[in-house]
Amino acid sequence: MMVDRGWSWAVLVGAHVGVMLTNGYLTTLGVFYNEWKDYFDVNATAASWLISLPWLSACPISWLVGALATKIGVRQVSMIGAVVIALATTLGSLTTDIGQMYVCNAVAGIGAVAVVSPGAIIISQYFKKRYFLANGITILGLNTGQMVFPPLIRLLISAYGWRGAMFITGAFQFNAVAACALFRPFKTDFDIDKVQSPSRAGSVESHPLRDVVESEKEDNMSENALQEQDGGTRQKCWRFLEIFTNLQAVMILMTSCLQCVGLVMNITHLPARAREAGWSNTQGAMLVLAFGISSALTRSLHGWFVGRAYVDSFILQLTVLLCTTLTTFLNPVSDSYVFLVCYSVALGTFLGVSVPLLMANVKTVVSTPQVPTALSLMWATFYLGGIGSIVAGKIYDATGAYLVPFLAAGTLFLTAFLLFAVVTVRKNRQNAGLQRL
């Protein structure tokens, strides 16, 4: 079990499956949207809260979960989170009013972040040279969930109703406990000293964590020395605040917020948009599946081109945002199912690149000590995007049509494009200045 190989790949499989069964499931809650709206007899805004609450409840506690994982243990926290989201989904199938469903979905979001955040921590420990590949495969769990859950949920709804579908899905999510059990933790400093002691020289050679620990110590030697001098806490607090003095990083975070809100407005209301156009709920669920498949393909491949410098990451990000904007503005053109499928595929193609690319780009504009904070804040913006479902629901209640929320999402993508264009221009000027020097 060394860095970038051995048990690292087992950990990566666990992280991927954990994301699929938690966040991957949450991104497909739109499949339940029409069922909940009809059963509880509520307006679009109230039904949209059911989709957004998991994300909004997860956003503010992401930092707390990270701290708990560090103190209690990555494996323990993630396994508890897996149990929480599975129980929340199962109990949601037994609810009798919308208030109870609100509580269950909010708790599901807390369980999801308790799986995803520790997974991100353990991946950063087990992978160094191949970190971005591993990070991309982990996030790919979102797309795996988008491919697995829509057809599965529609099949279960047809056979058992939405309650039976939720109950069986919750039982399926208990598999995340086994996935998180693969997160074999690192030893404490005390245990490491014992492993490296002369009296246990034989175990040093065969201990699976020795190379990982030595690599971690070398990478963090200067940081640990500074933390010992300041007590650690003051430095971490300063680093959290320091990133807000980095204008480019803040603008990228704002871009991510706008893009994620627009993304959620799109994906959670695709099934409702299809039904408004006269198509069945099953056909609406297939739009989410089409989005997930195309998104998975581009998310898997774009890193190869960027890593070999065939395309600049900032230019690619601008292109993705522009194409996403134009695609979303074209949503009202037709109610044809073929058109809606093509729309979902195009949207997934462009947005599949966006999440890992934004994380990679923000990493290039911050200093090394700011990287953990920057990536954590990026995850927070992804969860904050859950408010997009509520925004879309309110717009629908005000206008009576689902076309208007999609136009609003296009406006958000356009704003994100303009904001990131400013970041790109600033970065190019800085690079040109460095070249002249």
Side-chain angles (χ1 to χ4, degrees), residues 104-279:
C104 288
N105 282 10
V107 173
I110 295 173
V113 73
V115 173
V116 173
S117 290
I121 293 173
I122 201 71
I123 286 297
S124 69
Q125 293 174 344
Y126 273 90
F127 287 89
K128 293 301 177 183
K129 293 181 180 179
R130 299 177 180 176
Y131 170 73
F132 284 103
L133 172 63
N135 185 56
I137 293 175
T138 301
I139 299 175
L140 195 62
L142 287 169
N143 305 110
T144 305
Q146 290 163 359
M147 290 184 284
V148 169
F149 283 112
L152 175 63
I153 291 173
R154 286 312 313 174
L155 179 64
L156 293 174
I157 289 176
S158 299
Y160 307 107
W162 70 265
R163 291 184 182 278
M166 283 195 72
F167 187 89
I168 295 173
T169 301
F172 185 46
Q173 286 177 317
F174 275 107
N175 288 283
V177 178
C180 295
L182 296 172
F183 297 167
R184 185 178 296 175
F186 290 107
K187 294 286 185 177
T188 63
D189 290 340
F190 175 75
D191 294 327
I192 292 167
D193 290 339
K194 291 196 298 182
V195 170
Q196 294 178 334
S197 62
S199 62
R200 300 182 62 184
S203 65
V204 173
E205 293 182 5
S206 60
H207 199 282
L209 298 175
R210 181 171 179 263
D211 292 336
V212 174
V213 172
E214 289 178 354
S215 175
E216 287 290 311
K217 281 189 171 182
E218 291 175 1
D219 291 342
N220 300 310
M221 186 177 299
S222 59
E223 180 180 348
N224 290 339
L226 186 57
Q227 287 180 352
E228 291 176 0
Q229 181 179 355
D230 293 342
T233 303
R234 182 181 302 175
Q235 183 189 15
K236 289 181 180 178
C237 291
W238 165 243
R239 285 182 180 173
F240 172 75
L241 297 174
E242 185 185 48
I243 194 171
F244 293 102
T245 65
N246 187 325
L247 181 59
Q248 288 182 316
V250 171
M251 293 177 73
I252 293 178
L253 290 171
M254 293 172 62
T255 299
S256 179
C257 282
L258 293 168
Q259 179 178 266
C260 289
V261 173
L263 185 155
V264 172
M265 291 176 70
N266 262 281
I267 193 172
T268 58
H269 286 80
L270 273 175
R273 168 73 174 91
R275 192 169 80 163
E276 183 183 59
W279 307 105

